[in-house]
Amino acid sequence: MCFAALSLFFLFFSASVTAEENAPDEKQAKTALFKKTQAITHIPWYYFAAIDQYEHNIQKEEDNTEQLISIDIPNELWFGVSNPGLTSEEMIIVSNGWGRDGDGDGLAEKNNDEDVLYSMAHWINQYGNNKEDIKIALWNYYQRELTVQTIMSIAKIYEKFGTIALDKTDFPLPLQANYSYRNTWGDARGFGGRRIHEGTDIFAGYGVPVKATTYGVVEMKGWNKYGGWRIGIRDIHNHYHYFAHLNGYEKGINVGDVVKPGTVIGSVGATGYGPPGTSGKFPPHLHYGMYKDNGYSEWSFDPYPHLKKWERNARN
């Protein structure tokens, strides 16, 4: 797109972006930038939002900056192999770098949020701007299937709800139900060999509804000899939520569905520890597990503090 056309787009959106940036809600300011980049590049805003959220999730605490946008394109890609760090867009292009001028000042700066978003959009647009094209672009950039899958899931959530302000949570069982739980993460388990318990057991009666605790996408559903009938949900924070030993599933819940806090996904049971249909080898309960992905690997962590917080928030 020529500079004159870019200038018109910037002029058109300047008033709304300035208003959003002055707003107390950082998410509004970010959304304004995503939608501005969408208008320029014709790539739906929720893909930029999903990439940004994914990269925010995998950043270490010491990596945090004052920038709104968390996308961090490596220097060697941004500047190009023969560029010592000059930010002139012309020099970067000559050096086969990614960096592009997103705000019309002739410079492509890594600490400029508009430049970063426009540069990522320029990379994606080499492949196209429909869903499958974007998946291919993300694969060629990240070279990791789980990363691509997570970003596409986050984008799907943002698209459905039309916002990135998705902070609500819920406790997985109704508060009026008769349930109990304690911190059982890390306890020894014997079935299937020596292993640790990767979750918290919430004991309740057969058939008590089980609810999604966060916004997410159903990533897995089916039988597992350890977990029985179980469901896995990936949320916008790179967390995988594992619901196991279910008595059954809520009608209409399928892999790929977007859920929100409070969506009923199944009911408490005692399935597992054997072939499909095995039940009753232990008291009915919900096994609730959480896993974190840092962009390289995924591991289990203790969900008990989250459960206590969600329960407290639900009661309030």
Side-chain angles (χ1 to χ4, degrees):
M1 181 178 291
C2 67
F3 179 77
L6 279 173
S7 299
L8 287 174
F9 273 113
F10 291 131
L11 182 62
F12 180 80
F13 281 90
S14 60
S16 62
V17 172
T18 300
E20 296 284 2
E21 287 175 342
N22 291 332
D25 189 350
E26 182 181 282
K27 289 182 170 65
Q28 292 180 356
K30 294 176 76 168
T31 301
L33 287 172
F34 299 144
K35 291 186 176 181
K36 176 178 177 179
T37 309
Q38 170 185 275
I40 297 168
T41 65
H42 305 295
I43 296 172
W45 69 270
Y46 40 83
Y47 289 112
F48 300 122
I51 297 168
D52 178 68
Q53 178 66 24
Y54 174 82
E55 296 226 0
H56 173 77
N57 294 337
I58 65 173
Q59 284 181 352
K60 297 178 181 177
E61 193 170 321
E62 59 267 25
D63 294 335
N64 290 340
T65 68
E66 294 183 357
Q67 285 182 246
L68 274 176
I69 303 304
S70 298
I71 297 171
D72 184 21
I73 300 170
N75 285 343
E76 61 272 20
L77 294 178
W78 183 274
F79 294 107
V81 291
S82 61
N83 183 352
L86 301 176
T87 58
S88 164
E89 185 183 59
E90 292 183 1
M91 180 61 70
I92 291 175
I93 292 173
V94 168
S95 303
N96 292 319
W98 279 36
R100 293 295 183 270
D101 172 23
D103 62 1
D105 65 357
L107 303 177
E109 300 170 299
K110 285 193 64 181
N111 62 353
N112 183 305
D113 293 321
E114 293 183 52
D115 290 355
V116 170
L117 285 174
Y118 185 66
S119 299
M120 177 58 72
H122 181 268
W123 162 261
I124 293 173
N125 262 334
Q126 296 178 92
Y127 298 86
N129 55 23
N130 65 42
K131 180 180 178 180
E132 292 306 314
D133 294 334
I134 292 169
K135 285 181 68 175
I136 293 171
L138 292 174
W139 166 251
N140 284 325
Y141 179 49
Y142 290 103
Q143 296 284 303
R144 184 169 181 257
E145 184 60 36
L146 181 56
T147 296
V148 176
Q149 177 180 320
T150 300
I151 291 173
M152 298 303 289
S153 291
I154 296 173
K156 190 174 184 179
I157 296 166
Y158 288 156
E159 178 186 13
K160 180 175 179 64
F161 295 103
T163 179
I164 63 172
L166 302 174
D167 301 318
K168 293 180 180 179
T169 60
D170 199 0
F171 190 68
L173 299 186
L175 297 182
Q176 67 270 23
N178 183 16
Y179 66 86
S180 65
Y181 68 105
R182 61 180 180 84
N183 193 345
T184 55
W185 190 85
D187 288 358
R189 286 294 182 268
F191 179 80
R194 295 187 62 181
R195 55 194 176 90
I196 69 165
H197 188 233
E198 295 185 347
T200 293
D201 288 338
I202 307 176
F203 290 89
Y206 283 104
V208 171
V210 172
K211 302 178 291 180
T213 54
T214 62
Y215 296 91
V217 174
V218 177
E219 191 173 286
M220 175 271 297
K221 172 187 173 186
W223 181 268
N224 175 285
K225 71 176 182 178
Y226 300 108
W229 298 119
R230 85 287 196 230
I231 284 182
I233 296 173
R234 183 84 53 181
D235 72 11
I236 63 174
H237 301 292
N238 291 27
H239 292 150
Y240 180 76
H241 303 256
Y242 180 73
F243 303 77
H245 306 313
L246 300 176
N247 193 52
Y249 303 111
E250 182 71 5
K251 185 178 180 181
I253 291 291
N254 297 299
V255 171
D257 286 353
V258 175
V259 297
K260 63 182 180 179
T263 299
V264 176
I265 58 176
S267 60
V268 172
T271 59
Y273 285 20
T278 301
S279 181
K281 291 193 172 184
F282 40 76
H285 67 278
L286 170 67
H287 169 98
Y288 190 89
M290 292 181 71
Y291 298 79
K292 174 71 174 180
D293 173 43
N294 65 357
Y296 300 96
S297 60
E298 188 174 53
W299 69 92
S300 168
F301 67 94
D302 185 2
Y304 183 78
H306 284 77
L307 289 166
K308 294 299 288 186
K309 179 182 178 181
W310 296 337
E311 182 184 33
R312 184 169 59 250
N313 290 345
R315 290 193 185 281
N316 292 334

